[in-house]
């Protein structure tokens, strides 16, 4: 996801495109962004849906995460804590809502992390990491009130996994988000705390879970993606 590629990047990427037989994208949004910057022949484009682990649809032991961390009513965000992921704006937007925020992820920017800790205070729980696919990770998602990812770039696989787990989503509005979640998520402008807060309040009013979204995302945990890659490789070797 680029606002604009560095000058030296463009010729290098175009050279790789020239060398390639096909260029595979996981979404129309990614293809559109890429082709806006680089010389991409339509004949080389292939699409493969993002693969997600079906285990996120499996129920975790009831109350596991809540018992371990002493939490009940909380929103959760998963990912590296950094300015581009915009957790500080979420912390500020949630003030006064009575909703705890759980942030799962490490950090690279120590100053930004400290600011998040200072402004979050007792309303934010920081967890360096939870094992992917684990009962504890699934429990954390399934017991949450909302999954929140209001980054300055489109959300990614963690948002799809959260949706499969039954979470209601509050995510940044983007072509990628709309392509994957349709009208089954609550969208916000990540540059506006008021917009983030409004999306959170809408999510709270809608209730704690959304099985319609999980069903909508079900194709992401099928073998469709792998089969499509195999088809492309067979096409190239024919």
């Amino acid at each position: 996801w680029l606002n604009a590629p560095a000058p030296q990047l463009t010729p290098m990427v175009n050279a790789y495109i020239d060398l390639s037989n096909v260029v595979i994208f996981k979404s129309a949004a990614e293809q559109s962004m890429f082709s806006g910057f680089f010389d991409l022949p339509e004949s080389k484009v292939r699409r493969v849906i993002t693969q997600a682990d079906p285990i996120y649809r499996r129920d975790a032991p009831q109350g596991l995460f809540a018992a371990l961390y002493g939490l009940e009513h909380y929103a959760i965000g998963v990912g590296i804590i950094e300015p581009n992921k915009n957790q500080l704006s979420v912390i500020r937007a949630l003030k006064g809502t009575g909703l705890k925020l759980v942030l799962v992820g490490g950090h690279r920017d120590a100053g930004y992390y400290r600011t998040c800790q200072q402004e979050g205070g007792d309303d934010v729980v920081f967890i360096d990491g939870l094992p992917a696919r684990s009962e504890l990770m699934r429990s954390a998602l399934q017991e949450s009130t909302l999954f929140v990812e209001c980054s300055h770039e489109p959300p990614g696989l963690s948002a799809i996994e959260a949706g499969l787990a039954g979470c209601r989503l509050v995510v940044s509005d983007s072509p990628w988000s709309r392509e994957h979640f349709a009208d089954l998520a609550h969208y916000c402008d990540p540059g506006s705390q008021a917009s983030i807060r409004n999306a959170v309040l809408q999510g709270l009013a809608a209730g704690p879970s959304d099985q319609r979204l999980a069903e909508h995302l079900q194709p992401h945990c099928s073998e469709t993606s792998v089969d499509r890659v195999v088809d492309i490789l067979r096409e190239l070797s024919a």
Side-chain angles (χ1 to χ4, degrees), residues 136-236:
L136 186 57
M137 181 76 247
R138 301 196 320 270
S139 174
L141 292 172
Q142 291 166 11
E143 295 167 23
S144 69
T145 304
L146 294 170
F147 177 90
V148 182
E149 186 171 345
C150 305
S151 61
H152 292 295
E153 62 186 14
L157 183 59
S158 61
I160 295 175
E161 292 169 346
L164 287 168
C167 295
R168 289 198 179 276
L169 303 186
V170 173
V171 294
S172 302
D173 198 354
S174 71
W176 188 98
S177 300
R178 298 279 180 174
E179 181 179 346
H180 286 78
F181 307 129
D183 61 351
L184 298 173
H186 302 278
Y187 296 106
C188 69
D189 172 2
S192 166
Q193 289 178 39
S195 178
I196 296 171
R197 184 181 180 88
N198 185 57
V200 166
L201 293 177
Q202 288 177 355
L204 291 175
S209 65
D210 192 345
Q211 291 307 312
R212 294 181 306 149
L213 178 58
E215 292 166 6
H216 173 77
L217 293 171
Q218 180 64 31
H220 289 274
C221 55
S222 71
E223 294 183 353
T224 303
S225 179
V226 174
D227 289 343
R228 177 64 179 138
V229 174
V230 172
D231 288 343
I232 293 170
L233 294 175
R234 283 175 174 159
E235 171 195 346
L236 294 178

Side-chain angles (χ1 to χ4, degrees), residues 5 10 42 55 81 99 102 113 116 141 158 190 196 220 231 235:
T10 300
E42 184 66 29
I55 199 169
I81 298 172
L99 185 64
V102 175
Y113 186 68
C116 287
L141 292 172
S158 61
I196 296 171
H220 289 274
D231 288 343
E235 171 195 346

Side-chain angles (χ1 to χ4, degrees), residues 13 22 39 43 48 54 84 117 157 174 189 210 220 234:
V13 174
V22 298
D39 298 330
S43 61
V48 175
N84 198 44
Q117 289 179 309
L157 183 59
S174 71
D189 172 2
D210 192 345
H220 289 274
R234 283 175 174 159

Side-chain angles (χ1 to χ4, degrees), residues 2-160:
L2 301 168
N3 293 320
Q8 66 272 23
L9 182 63
T10 300
M12 181 184 72
V13 174
N14 285 333
Y16 273 100
I17 294 171
D18 288 340
L19 285 169
S20 70
N21 295 95
V22 298
V23 182
I24 299 175
F25 295 93
K26 293 180 290 183
S27 69
E30 289 165 300
Q31 179 187 334
S32 177
M33 181 279 294
F34 189 92
S35 60
F37 293 123
F38 307 111
D39 298 330
L40 179 63
E42 184 66 29
S43 61
K44 290 191 174 186
V45 172
R46 302 291 186 276
R47 190 83 53 75
V48 175
I49 193 172
T50 303
Q51 184 83 23
D53 198 314
I55 199 169
Y56 285 94
R57 294 221 64 181
R58 188 184 303 172
D59 288 339
Q62 186 68 31
L64 176 63
F65 181 81
L68 187 60
Y69 286 93
L71 295 167
E72 293 181 10
H73 187 51
Y74 65 91
I76 188 168
V78 179
I80 190 78
I81 298 172
E82 61 180 5
N84 198 44
K85 295 294 185 184
N86 205 33
Q87 289 94 343
L88 184 56
S89 291
V90 175
I91 290 170
R92 291 168 174 170
L94 288 181
K95 287 186 182 297
T97 63
L99 185 64
K100 286 264 191 180
L101 177 61
V102 175
L103 293 177
V104 181
H107 65 278
R108 291 187 288 260
D109 186 326
Y112 185 79
Y113 186 68
R114 282 195 301 270
T115 302
C116 287
Q117 289 179 309
Q118 291 164 359
E119 295 210 20
D122 294 335
D123 293 328
V124 183
V125 176
F126 294 87
I127 302 173
D128 287 340
L130 295 174
R133 308 178 71 252
S134 66
E135 290 184 337
L136 186 57
M137 181 76 247
R138 301 196 320 270
S139 174
L141 292 172
Q142 291 166 11
E143 295 167 23
S144 69
T145 304
L146 294 170
F147 177 90
V148 182
E149 186 171 345
C150 305
S151 61
H152 292 295
E153 62 186 14
L157 183 59
S158 61
I160 295 175

